[in-house]
Amino acid sequence: MTRSAPDRSFAQARAVIPRGVAHVRLEGPVVTRDFAFLVLPRFTLLAFSSAIEPLRIANQLTQQPLYRYRLVSMDAAPVESSSGVRVEVDQGLEPLGRETTAIVCSGTDASDAADKRVLAWLRDHARRGGGLGAVCTGAYTLARAGLLGEDAPAVHWENRPAFRELFDVEPLEQIYVIGRRHFSCAGGEAGVDLMLALIARDHGQKLADAVAEMCLHSRRREANTTQKRVYPAPMLARHPAVARVIAAMQANIATPLDRDELASVFGRSPRHLERIFQQVVQETPKGYYLGLRLQEARDLLSDTTMSILEVALATGFNSRSSFSKAFRKRFGHSPARAR
């Protein structure tokens, strides 16, 4: 699709940045890559800026138009972020060229931030061969549009239970993923790591390292880095059997494992599991497991429209009453109030 002259002029202005002190020389011809950041209402400003700033810095370091980017909203109007900061955009849902990658940026209103117009716009872009990406909870919108394909997305740990229930897809625990049809990151500063990986793929590791230095991003993380540790790495190394038990608990929320099954994962007797678990985690296996299930229940109540009974069943409770009793004891209020 051919862009109009004003559009090219705008894109060029967003590509070349005045030179700073640092400089990286690239050999050979430069191919410019285009991105369109779709910012949805209540998008997360940190995740958005983490994804867009490395592109600007790559241009600044090389003094080359390596990346062009624009901002898109549903109606071409400014969009308010989750922090209340409003950003101006460059266009509404006009079609993008197939060479442009559309990146969906959302935040606290994950499941219904986009309307039908947005879903149709994304489907149309994908049909014409355009690339797709998602930042923070943007993967919800790709899933609603039916554009995930066989690639599981990276979703923030707080939103993983709801995503799993809504779309019957197990989202990744890692901080970002570059798949065959789309890429995504879990939010926060993971956008920096994602974009550094794309910059390295496009222009080499030297430039990616220089961009990381400019971001004061001292440790570039690989895609398979886990978002959230159950407990600190030194403890994980000292007690791998306890880590296995906790991983088994996390994998079996809807159908909880019993005491003997957990002991089998641990590799010793139930009594030995109880004693070591208390020493390491300062809680009984039963109490810790219940806490994991109730935390997932609270996330589902917050992020989905599932009924309280459906949430109870999805987190391993046999009835609404038993769930409500355990929830109130844990959090001090009822599931209905949490919703």
Side-chain angles (χ1 to χ4, degrees):
M1 178 178 179
T2 303
R3 297 177 184 160
S4 64
D7 188 52
R8 287 196 299 271
S9 175
F10 158 74
Q12 185 70 14
R14 284 285 181 86
V16 178
I17 307 295
R19 178 178 295 181
V21 175
H23 182 68
V24 175
R25 180 180 176 82
L26 292 183
E27 302 296 337
V30 168
V31 176
T32 303
R33 186 170 181 179
D34 292 335
F35 291 100
F37 288 83
L38 171 64
V39 286
L40 296 175
R42 309 293 294 166
F43 74 98
T44 304
L45 198 59
L46 172 59
F48 164 73
S49 60
S50 293
I52 203 169
E53 277 296 299
L55 305 179
R56 177 193 66 79
I57 293 171
N59 292 342
Q60 176 181 311
L61 287 171
T62 61
Q63 282 297 283
Q64 299 279 359
L66 305 183
Y67 300 102
R68 290 187 294 236
Y69 46 86
R70 70 187 66 190
L71 273 60
V72 181
S73 72
M74 291 190 284
D75 52 8
V79 182
E80 185 172 291
S81 69
S82 58
S83 62
V85 175
R86 295 171 66 84
V87 299
E88 299 284 341
V89 301
D90 305 296
Q91 69 171 74
L93 298 177
E94 292 81 28
L96 300 173
R98 63 174 298 171
E99 76 282 357
T100 301
T101 298
I103 302 178
V104 185
C105 306
S106 60
T108 54
D109 297 329
S111 59
D112 58 358
D115 62 18
K116 293 180 180 179
R117 295 173 301 156
V118 171
L119 304 184
W121 182 77
L122 289 169
R123 292 184 190 116
D124 180 65
H125 185 59
R127 274 195 299 269
R128 289 185 286 107
L132 297 170
V135 171
C136 195
T137 59
Y140 277 76
T141 298
L142 294 185
R144 290 180 58 210
L147 296 174
L148 288 183
E150 297 180 357
D151 293 334
V155 175
H156 192 280
W157 59 264
E158 186 179 37
N159 304 107
R160 290 182 67 245
F163 193 93
R164 184 188 306 121
E165 293 294 331
L166 287 172
F167 304 112
D168 196 26
V169 172
E170 184 62 42
L172 302 174
E173 294 186 49
Q174 59 198 59
I175 58 174
Y176 73 87
V177 62
I178 301 175
R180 290 165 293 183
R181 296 184 59 184
H182 53 78
F183 56 77
S184 57
C185 75
E189 62 179 27
V192 175
D193 299 284
L194 168 62
M195 288 305 177
L196 289 175
L198 293 177
I199 290 168
R201 188 175 69 177
D202 293 344
H203 302 289
Q205 193 59 55
K206 179 181 177 182
L207 177 58
D209 289 342
V211 172
E213 289 179 357
M214 289 292 288
C215 292
L216 300 181
H217 197 66
S218 59
R219 186 175 65 87
R220 189 170 64 85
R221 299 173 295 177
E222 298 300 325
N224 59 4
T225 302
T226 302
Q227 294 178 44
K228 183 183 179 186
R229 295 189 181 277
V230 176
Y231 43 79
M235 191 180 294
L236 180 69
R238 290 196 301 269
H239 304 284
V242 173
R244 287 200 306 272
V245 172
I246 293 176
M249 291 175 176
Q250 292 174 316
N252 293 275
I253 295 293
T255 54
L257 303 176
D258 62 27
R259 185 169 177 259
D260 290 337
E261 288 171 322
L262 291 175
S264 177
V265 173
F266 184 66
R268 302 288 293 274
S269 69
R271 290 187 63 183
H272 195 76
L273 168 62
E274 293 273 346
R275 182 170 61 84
I276 298 300
F277 207 92
Q278 282 269 26
Q279 291 175 2
V280 174
V281 186
Q282 286 80 53
E283 194 171 2
T284 66
K286 181 179 179 180
Y288 188 86
Y289 204 171
L290 178 62
L292 288 178
R293 292 162 54 204
L294 289 171
Q295 182 58 57
E296 178 141 347
R298 186 163 66 171
D299 292 341
L300 292 175
L301 289 169
S302 173
D303 295 341
T304 75
T305 57
M306 295 170 65
S307 70
I308 292 176
L309 177 58
E310 288 172 331
V311 171
L313 296 176
T315 52
F317 293 90
N318 294 324
S319 67
R320 173 170 172 159
S321 61
S322 62
F323 167 62
S324 296
K325 181 179 179 181
F327 193 95
R328 184 183 293 276
K329 183 176 180 180
R330 185 79 175 191
F331 299 117
H333 53 78
S334 69
R337 181 177 174 187
R339 167 151 286 166

